[in-house]
Amino acid sequence: MKAYLKLDHVDKVFTRGKVSSEVLKDINLSLGKGEYISIIGHSGCGKSTMLNIIAGLTRATMGGVILEDREVNSPGPDRAVVFQNHSLLPWLTVYQNVRLGVDKVFAKTKSRAERDEWTMHNLNLVQMTHAKDKRPSEISGGMKQRVGIARALAMEPKVLLLDEPFGALDALTRAHLQDSVMALHQKLGNTIVMITHDVDEAVLLSDRIVMMTNGPSATIGEVLDVPLARPRQRLELASNPVYLDCRKRVLEFLYERHKFVEAA
Amino acid sequence: MNMQAIKTEPATALAKPPVASVALSPKQPVSFDRYAKMAKETAARVIPPLIVVLLLGVMWELLCRRTGSTLPPPSKVYKDTKELIFDPFFDNGGLDKGLFWHISASLLRVAYGYSLAAVVGIGLGTLVGQSVWAMRGLDPIFQVLRTIPPLAWLPLALAAFRDGQPSAIFVIFITSIWPIIINTAVGIRNIPQDYRNVAAVVQLNPVEFFWKVMLPAAAPYIFTGLRIGIGLSWLAIIAAEMLIGGVGIGFFIWDAWNSSHMSEIILALFYVGIVGFVLDRLIAALGKLVTHGTSVS
């Protein structure tokens, strides 16, 4: 498979004054189009830094990110991010939050009516049309995250970046949203990079799981293929041997070979 | 209620009307109770200050009634200023005008100076909040300049403009701009990184970022600055007008002092206090309206 998104020898060193610390070292990763990849690792391993480098919010110290044969080093709607804490603008309604991105991305290619239709279409994808005139403070955490997903999807990104999108949600809401994301991936065929620290979530959703070693100088320890057919059903998988095996291998990586060192 | 409904259903239709009337009757006392409660709450807020004002008035009357007291009692103030109170709109030319004209002249100066300060202050505050170098360069200067008392600027302004009107407006401007700058800068500096990231991903240009993210995100801070600013400008205009003369409530007070009309001074002070209070509440209400829903994230 030809690489659609590629991280090529990415290093990241944070320098503050005379102290510099290497967070990421020699990250190499290729994604095919339509692939769903999870990045998993203990906290502080530079997962979020890696996602920010792909998003262009942080510059890599060495190496670079190549998307469709072109280097990208500044943020843009072709790599839309769903932030962990939803990051909706509180003074805008649900509709306006999604429309903000739509208006920028499709300023020249879509008419006003088409942009309105497209905004509603994306709110409909995440089943949030009923709350379109509510403000973020008036809806639940799960709903906010749905709107965050709609905002990202509405930019028609080449790669969708999910930064621990379900981290702040309760278990039931999380499961529900995971199913929604799976259904959307099935329907739209997006290329997705997701940061997570939840093993079940990684196995359930991903085509491949990228496991990070502990920092400092974190790098990719192992990449695990998840050969489970789609669409996947949460309940059926619970007793599926392939699922259980994948789960076990991730757990072994995280808790035996790369145990979290408290001091780090 | 549910139990009752289930019980009456199999019974005859005759049982229904009394049920309906029973359901209606508790409604009235509820709404009546609510009005009574509202009236009680209003009374609880209005009556204590009224009592205090009344007591102070009586004390004042008793203290100033004696012969040889330097200040007039309230009864005399009312008697002396009846004309001014009941006819604020007369205009006999020159400075002999009703209080309405004096106050509106002062308010007009405040409006000019304050609007200018709001625009320039929010602009400079944004610059200082956004750019580290602008902050390093400008902040120390602001910190020194803001401690200069408003009236100290007046002679300089008179020398520069050679006219009272622009000088007064300048004094308002220079007095009210500092809290606006400083609060705006703090507001801009406190914009969460998340909002900046969102703007970066969507690729808002700087102008769009200013209108769509910065201003609304910093609005609660900006309005704090604007509210302090309006209070300061009302303080400054009275003092400045005493010196520059012309039509205005400040000079009205000074003029009354020069002609020993103590009652007029007292009346003017009431008006100054009330107008200042209204201005403050106006900006606060505007802030509430504009930042509706934004302070909670």
Side-chain angles (χ1 to χ4, degrees):
Chain A
M1 193 155 32
K2 189 175 170 293
Y4 185 62
L5 175 77
K6 193 171 177 199
L7 275 77
D8 197 9
H9 294 92
V10 169
D11 289 6
K12 179 67 193 176
V13 181
F14 282 112
T15 310
R16 174 162 289 177
K18 280 180 184 167
V19 190
S20 62
S21 56
E22 190 174 44
V23 180
L24 293 173
K25 190 180 168 65
D26 204 27
I27 302 281
N28 286 293
L29 185 64
S30 291
L31 271 84
K33 195 170 182 179
E35 207 175 3
Y36 195 131
I37 281 204
S38 290
I39 299 170
I40 196 165
H42 293 291
S43 53
C45 73
K47 307 187 289 278
S48 286
T49 309
M50 194 164 146
L51 194 89
N52 281 344
I53 289 173
I54 302 175
L57 295 167
T58 308
R59 291 285 300 266
T61 312
M62 296 275 278
V65 179
I66 293 152
L67 176 62
E68 271 194 321
D69 301 324
R70 288 182 63 181
E71 188 180 3
V72 285
N73 49 23
S74 63
D78 55 345
R79 284 151 291 130
V81 187
V82 176
F83 297 95
Q84 182 178 6
N85 53 357
H86 67 78
S87 295
L88 299 177
L89 302 179
W91 53 88
L92 299 181
T93 62
V94 162
Y95 174 86
Q96 289 167 333
N97 264 293
V98 178
R99 183 71 188 263
L100 183 73
V102 172
D103 276 346
K104 276 305 282 183
V105 177
F106 301 106
K108 291 191 182 105
T109 50
K110 278 184 160 69
S111 72
R112 186 174 281 268
E114 281 171 332
R115 293 200 297 261
D116 170 66
E117 200 185 319
W118 179 244
T119 306
M120 289 309 288
H121 170 74
N122 280 281
L123 281 173
N124 191 34
L125 281 179
V126 296
Q127 292 125 41
M128 282 302 296
T129 41
H130 64 280
K132 75 181 183 71
D133 293 322
K134 290 212 166 105
R135 286 176 199 273
S137 55
E138 296 166 335
I139 59 178
S140 72
M143 288 178 169
K144 284 178 202 165
Q145 206 49 279
R146 283 176 184 279
V147 179
I149 293 168
R151 175 173 63 184
L153 284 176
M155 294 182 223
E156 258 183 356
K158 290 175 179 161
V159 181
L160 186 61
L161 304 173
L162 310 178
D163 187 1
E164 295 190 32
F166 317 119
L169 305 174
D170 65 89
L172 289 176
T173 313
R174 187 186 308 175
H176 194 57
L177 262 181
Q178 285 166 349
D179 290 342
S180 298
V181 167
M182 251 196 303
L184 285 171
H185 179 233
Q186 194 73 25
K187 188 173 175 184
L188 307 172
N190 307 81
T191 310
I192 301 181
V193 179
M194 177 176 79
I195 303 278
T196 183
H197 49 229
D198 182 330
V199 176
D200 289 296
E201 179 174 292
V203 179
L204 176 66
L205 295 176
S206 326
D207 296 317
R208 280 192 293 157
I209 302 174
V210 175
M211 292 175 263
M212 304 282 291
T213 63
N214 284 325
S217 305
T219 188
I220 295 174
E222 196 181 320
V223 179
L224 177 73
D225 277 304
V226 184
L228 288 166
R230 289 178 189 272
R232 297 172 182 171
Q233 297 297 328
R234 183 182 300 278
L235 282 174
E236 290 167 17
L237 287 179
S239 54
N240 184 317
V242 180
Y243 176 85
L244 293 174
D245 181 54
C246 289
R247 193 171 177 277
K248 190 169 153 241
R249 286 178 62 184
V250 178
L251 286 172
E252 273 171 3
F253 178 92
L254 289 176
Y255 297 105
E256 270 180 27
R257 278 176 285 156
H258 295 275
K259 219 171 160 176
F260 185 51
V261 187
E262 205 66 55
Chain B
M1 282 296 279
N2 261 345
M3 287 288 281
Q4 215 175 1
I6 289 162
K7 270 183 189 170
T8 52
E9 231 172 322
T12 53
L14 270 174
K16 271 181 182 172
V19 169
S21 71
V22 164
L24 264 177
S25 57
K27 250 188 180 174
Q28 276 168 331
V30 164
S31 67
F32 178 77
D33 274 357
R34 214 173 51 196
Y35 286 127
K37 207 177 162 193
M38 267 166 67
K40 229 177 187 173
E41 276 172 11
T42 317
R45 252 187 302 172
V46 172
I47 290 177
L50 270 181
I51 293 174
V52 173
V53 167
L54 213 71
L55 279 177
L56 285 175
V58 169
M59 249 164 71
W60 175 14
E61 181 74 37
L62 291 175
L63 280 172
C64 297
R65 217 169 182 173
R66 295 165 304 164
T67 43
S69 76
T70 47
L71 294 175
S75 53
K76 188 170 183 309
V77 169
Y78 177 73
K79 215 164 63 193
D80 290 348
T81 59
K82 228 172 15 190
E83 276 173 49
L84 282 170
I85 294 172
F86 292 114
D87 185 12
F89 298 111
F90 73 86
D91 186 351
N92 297 336
L95 295 180
D96 192 6
K97 288 179 175 20
L99 275 170
F100 172 81
W101 301 111
H102 287 289
I103 289 175
S104 58
S106 301
L107 280 176
L108 196 66
R109 291 188 184 110
V110 168
Y112 283 134
Y114 179 71
S115 325
L116 201 63
V119 173
V120 177
I122 292 172
L124 275 175
T126 305
L127 181 71
V128 171
Q130 183 71 350
S131 145
V132 177
W133 284 107
M135 188 189 78
R136 286 184 191 162
L138 291 171
D139 196 57
I141 299 168
F142 291 163
Q143 296 300 341
V144 172
L145 288 182
R146 78 187 174 95
T147 62
I148 298 174
L151 279 191
W153 291 101
L154 190 60
L156 199 68
L158 282 169
F161 297 114
R162 308 211 166 266
D163 188 14
Q165 182 75 357
S167 304
I169 291 170
F170 174 78
V171 169
I172 299 298
F173 169 81
I174 205 78
T175 309
S176 55
I177 196 168
W178 309 117
I180 300 174
I181 292 178
I182 290 165
N183 281 285
T184 305
V186 172
I188 298 286
R189 229 171 287 148
N190 281 345
I191 294 176
Q193 187 59 40
D194 297 333
Y195 299 170
R196 295 180 185 275
N197 285 347
V198 168
V201 170
V202 178
Q203 286 185 330
L204 294 181
N205 63 40
V207 177
E208 287 168 325
F209 182 60
F210 177 76
W211 288 108
K212 292 188 172 167
V213 178
M214 275 182 156
L215 272 192
Y221 291 89
I222 294 175
F223 272 96
T224 305
L226 287 175
R227 206 171 155 188
I228 301 172
I230 195 78
L232 289 181
S233 34
W234 192 239
L235 291 182
I237 189 64
I238 306 298
E241 280 176 350
M242 285 186 174
L243 295 175
I244 61 163
V247 180
I249 190 74
F251 187 70
F252 175 86
I253 294 172
W254 195 245
D255 197 37
W257 157 246
N258 282 332
S259 30
S260 308
H261 292 150
M262 290 307 138
S263 300
E264 286 182 13
I265 297 181
I266 290 165
L267 178 71
L269 289 188
F270 271 116
Y271 277 108
V272 169
I274 287 162
V275 170
F277 175 77
V278 169
L279 284 177
D280 181 65
R281 285 304 151 104
L282 214 66
I283 299 291
L286 191 69
K288 220 173 185 175
L289 194 79
V290 171
T291 63
H292 171 70
T294 67
S295 41
V296 203
S297 58

